[in-house]
Amino acid sequence: MNILVVDAHGGGVGKALVAGIKQNIPEAYVVAVGTNSVATSAMIKAGADKGATGENAIVVCSRNVDVITGPIGIIIADALLGEITPRMALAISRSDAKRVLIPMKNCGNIVAGVGDMNMSQLIADAVREIKKMMC
């Protein structure tokens, strides 16, 4: 299974996702793409198999994976303090990949029905959902 992890800012969510995926689904091939080099670096240090940075990397990598994961803002143009361009959001949204999104409350959007799970619980739940897809 090929998994694309996308993150912005310092890459904290992506780093936790990469670590969780590699620990629980070691056979997964994980590509980490950050909107900036700091985010990419954090995800590579967490164990991603490959990494890249920037808009075009997200557009290209979105075409060839089974799953795309990251904070919910990766599918919303201008989210994450403007680091998600409309082209990035469109590429991720149009991808044939399944998307497993972390419902962050700090990206200017509220997801109804999402309880007050902490970040560790959200990451663990996302990894469980990705693992279910392998069966």
Side-chain angles (χ1 to χ4, degrees):
M1 175 176 278
N2 294 321
I3 301 171
L4 172 61
V5 180
V6 178
D7 202 5
H9 305 307
V13 173
K15 178 180 177 179
L17 280 165
V18 169
I21 292 165
K22 292 308 263 180
Q23 181 178 2
N24 292 284
I25 316 168
E27 66 275 19
Y29 187 81
V30 178
V31 176
V33 180
T35 60
N36 62 67
S37 60
V38 174
T40 303
S41 179
M43 293 186 284
I44 290 171
K45 287 178 185 173
D49 295 294
K50 282 199 175 180
T53 301
E55 179 183 75
N56 201 56
I58 290 172
V59 171
V60 171
C61 291
S62 293
R63 296 179 195 145
N64 303 313
V65 293
D66 303 303
V67 176
I68 300 172
T69 188
I72 196 167
I74 66 173
I75 61 166
I76 302 168
D78 300 329
L80 303 175
L81 297 177
E83 289 193 37
I84 301 298
T85 67
R87 191 169 170 233
M88 290 173 180
L90 187 62
I92 293 167
S93 297
R94 283 189 174 166
S95 173
D96 290 333
K98 294 194 184 295
R99 285 163 291 282
V100 178
L101 305 171
I102 307 295
M104 308 294 295
K105 294 181 181 180
N106 62 351
C107 61
N109 298 284
I110 297 170
V111 180
V114 176
D116 288 327
M117 296 171 71
N118 66 36
M119 182 58 58
S120 295
Q121 292 168 318
L122 290 167
I123 299 295
D125 190 47
V127 172
R128 276 192 298 274
E129 290 298 324
I130 293 169
K131 194 169 185 175
K132 279 194 245 179
M133 292 177 194
M134 296 187 72
C135 298

